[in-house]
Amino acid sequence: MTDERPDLSGRTVGLIGLGLMGRPMARNLARAGVRVVVHNRSRGPVDELAAEGMVPAADPAGAAQAADTLILMLTDTPAVEAVTDALLGALTAGHLVIDMGTTAVGATRRLAERVRAAGAEWVDAPVSGGQVAAEAATLTIMAGGTEAAFARALPLFQALGRRITHVGDTGAGQIAKTANQVIVGLTIGAVAEALALAKAAGADPAKVREAIRGGFAESRILELHGGRMVSGDFTPGARATTQLKDLTQAEALAEDAGIDLPAVSLCKELYELLVDKGDDGLDHAALYRLFS
């Protein structure tokens, strides 16, 4: 864990994936002095950041040719697999690939092997904190990879986050993120049901939330996501469809590990209902809409 903010002048980093998280992360790297090369499947975010002085790349290989470090901030495992395939021909000894999205553990380990076979290094470093933390450069970062690869990545992490932990070898960062998303998903469900119960029983859910804050029920989710629930503002910081994807990956990892997680399975079913209702683009706190 560190709060140090490094000066990264002279370093060039390619950032691929400019969604809700990727764009503010690119800006924070640029503020730290990084020459940032950007690529995205749709052109709009690339043009937006190019207007701020960042360097556009036509494709992932072009980003690899311009930078010795590549950060992937992509939506799901298939996207990470596709971009890694596109990078492989351009990777050389000395390249470092950092996957900062939430990717399946098995796929992470396979992709890391392919990247290393090309002579490059791999770090899986998923993040927590959502768009708010990405903008404030206060992301929680959980990393997996060799000590040497993590040491190379650490100054970049210090420009993006506050709490940075090297969890273990390849895949360990994604295991930690899966555990994180289990807690997030189940806690959102608990807060949603509690506030819906308060409303159905005749109390103001906003007042109930105010009353229980600071006690044993206090959490970051009660603070932020509970606030979204009582206000009805579900502008996405993290989308419901992403939470469903993460719980699906958690369920698969549990099966691979030989354990049963019944609460995860139930929570996943609830998010499936939410997505089926057409609320997939809303914030994951919109789970409240199932009950209220």
Side-chain angles (χ1 to χ4, degrees):
M1 182 172 64
T2 178
D3 285 339
E4 183 182 354
R5 299 295 190 187
D7 178 2
L8 297 173
S9 300
R11 192 153 180 180
T12 301
V13 173
L15 202 154
I16 301 172
L18 304 173
L20 292 174
M21 304 285 286
R23 269 176 288 185
M25 291 168 67
R27 290 184 174 110
N28 285 326
L29 289 172
R31 290 187 189 105
V34 175
R35 178 176 179 263
V36 184
V37 179
V38 291
H39 173 70
N40 193 66
R41 184 173 56 183
S42 58
R43 184 70 190 187
V46 174
D47 291 341
E48 178 184 332
L49 294 181
E52 298 175 20
M54 299 183 210
V55 181
D59 51 34
Q65 289 161 2
D68 63 3
T69 301
L70 289 309
I71 293 176
L72 313 184
M73 196 63 206
L74 301 163
T75 54
D76 54 27
T77 298
V80 175
E81 290 172 330
V83 168
T84 303
D85 283 343
L87 286 173
L88 284 172
L91 294 179
T92 61
H95 269 110
L96 172 64
V97 179
I98 308 171
D99 177 19
M100 300 191 76
T102 303
T103 306
V105 175
T108 291
R109 290 171 173 159
R110 290 191 299 272
L111 293 172
E113 288 177 3
R114 296 178 67 195
V115 165
R116 288 177 185 137
E121 294 183 282
W122 175 282
V123 172
D124 48 285
V127 302
S128 183
Q131 185 180 2
V132 171
E135 291 171 350
T138 57
L139 289 165
T140 295
I141 302 171
M142 48 213 87
T146 66
E147 292 283 355
F150 175 75
R152 284 186 62 189
L154 180 58
L156 300 175
F157 296 158
Q158 291 168 335
L160 297 170
R162 290 287 187 188
R163 188 177 187 91
I164 303 160
T165 305
H166 185 200
V167 183
D169 206 350
T170 304
Q174 295 295 355
I175 293 170
K177 180 59 187 291
T178 302
N180 181 87
Q181 292 307 91
V182 165
I183 294 169
V184 169
L186 295 183
T187 307
I188 287 175
V191 172
E193 290 193 22
L195 295 181
L197 174 63
K199 181 178 179 180
D204 180 351
K207 288 293 186 181
V208 170
R209 173 177 166 271
E210 179 183 337
I212 63 178
R213 294 220 37 214
F216 277 175
E218 178 66 293
S219 69
R220 186 73 166 153
I221 287 173
L222 180 61
E223 176 190 358
L224 294 181
H225 294 80
R228 291 185 174 104
M229 292 173 195
V230 299
S231 71
D233 181 1
F234 298 112
T235 303
R239 291 185 172 89
T241 187
T242 302
Q243 183 68 58
L244 174 58
K245 178 264 294 182
D246 293 345
L247 290 171
T248 301
Q249 288 183 178
E251 195 175 55
L253 182 61
E255 183 176 354
D256 290 343
I259 65 170
D260 183 36
L261 300 178
V264 168
S265 297
L266 176 58
C267 191
K268 189 191 84 166
E269 291 176 8
L270 294 174
Y271 273 100
E272 287 172 340
L273 288 173
L274 186 68
V275 168
D276 288 345
K277 283 182 57 180
D279 289 341
D280 50 302
L282 299 181
D283 189 88
H284 48 176
L287 194 69
Y288 180 68
R289 288 162 63 99
L290 292 180
F291 311 109
S292 63

